[in-house]
Amino acid sequence: MSIAEDSPTLDVLERLSAATDRMTFDSLLRQLNLPEGVLRGRLRSLVDRGWVHAEPDDSYTIGVGALRPGSAYLLTDRTVRLAGPLMAQLRDRLSEAVRLVRLDPPGIVCIASREAPHDVVGSAVGRRMPAYATASGKAILAGLPRERVVELLDRGVEAHTSDSVVDRAALFEELAETRARGWAYERGQFQPGVGCVAAVVPGTADAISVGVPLARLTDDHATEIAANLIRTTDELGEALRR
């Protein structure tokens, strides 16, 4: 079975990549709910590939070898290549961090990033996030048929901060506002103290977002960011159609 088809193995990698520090075997075992022997086998295979590093205390971290398959994917992705210079220009105009994300049901995954000097998040490439709690995800969901959004929400909704919106009617109201406005806006719904403005890339399931600490994210600044974002996503959409 290939790694792409082996969802339990992908689950191990995703747990490790999302961790801020090494994870013990017992912690992985509790989170993944796999038989102990199966998890040991998965970890052994990943360690042999160089994708995971085993620590002496029976804890694990993502290994540098995990960069290889991800880098190969990104090098062949036309959207990532075309978005790079546009994202850098947007970052320089706004002095804020910029991300390119893609719908990967039921969530989204960051596939490119341009950090600002005062970025509070750091590089997020490869990070999986819930679509319903992020501005990027809301920008993408707002363009999907309602039944498709319902299908994605049925796969699980949970609060990530005290400001997360988990009520389904409220979520659909936010998506309607996003469609009418042309861009998505959230304040601390996914990460405490950080807000985000995002716009979908026309004709794709990708979105570009700008993350800003809430202390600087006034409504006027959000509107300024949105105007620049829409210009950037329109330029990227036009480039992809050529």
Side-chain angles (χ1 to χ4, degrees):
M1 181 176 288
S2 72
I3 186 69
E5 297 169 329
D6 197 351
S7 59
T9 299
L10 287 175
D11 283 346
V12 173
L13 290 172
E14 286 176 1
R15 298 284 177 170
L16 291 173
S17 65
T20 56
D21 199 357
R22 65 186 65 180
M23 291 188 70
T24 66
F25 178 82
D26 288 344
S27 178
L28 281 167
L29 193 65
R30 286 194 303 271
Q31 292 191 27
L32 294 170
N33 196 29
L34 290 171
E36 182 173 345
V38 171
L39 180 55
R40 289 284 183 196
R42 307 257 181 219
L43 287 168
R44 242 185 339 263
S45 173
L46 291 169
V47 169
D48 289 344
R49 294 178 187 182
W51 293 9
V52 167
H53 181 67
E55 305 289 347
D57 61 354
D58 201 23
S59 64
Y60 298 84
T61 57
I62 285 287
V64 69
L67 288 170
R68 292 195 299 270
S71 297
Y73 173 83
L74 295 177
L75 284 171
T76 61
D77 190 278
R78 184 166 176 256
T79 303
V80 172
R81 294 200 308 272
L82 291 172
L86 295 173
M87 291 172 63
Q89 292 168 15
L90 182 62
R91 183 265 320 274
D92 293 344
R93 284 200 303 271
L94 297 172
S95 296
E96 305 289 3
V98 180
R99 319 275 187 234
L100 172 67
V101 309
R102 176 162 297 163
L103 181 66
D104 186 32
I108 55 173
V109 174
C110 179
I111 57 175
S113 178
R114 295 295 182 273
E115 287 77 45
H118 47 257
D119 189 357
V120 297
V121 178
S123 178
V125 175
R127 187 181 188 187
R128 179 179 293 277
M129 296 163 282
Y132 58 83
T134 56
S136 297
K138 294 176 195 291
I140 296 169
L141 294 180
L144 297 181
R146 184 182 179 92
E147 58 271 19
R148 177 61 172 146
V149 177
V150 169
E151 177 188 333
L152 295 176
L153 295 179
D154 283 345
R155 293 168 73 171
V157 174
E158 62 178 300
H160 292 266
T161 73
S162 59
D163 294 312
S164 296
V165 177
V166 295
D167 176 75
R168 189 161 297 197
L171 283 170
F172 277 108
E173 184 176 342
E174 281 199 346
L175 297 184
E177 291 172 355
T178 296
R179 279 192 298 275
R181 189 171 48 214
W183 47 279
Y185 183 26
E186 64 87 5
R187 296 178 59 86
Q189 291 191 29
F190 178 61
Q191 182 174 349
V194 178
C196 194
V197 181
V200 73
V201 179
T204 75
D206 299 337
I208 294 178
S209 68
V210 174
V212 185
L214 291 180
R216 292 203 314 274
L217 188 55
T218 63
D219 287 344
D220 286 344
H221 190 29
T223 301
E224 175 197 11
I225 291 170
N228 282 274
L229 257 177
I230 289 171
R231 185 169 77 185
T232 298
T233 52
D234 283 348
E235 287 179 20
L236 180 55
E238 182 178 345
L240 288 167
R241 289 192 295 271
R242 291 175 191 155

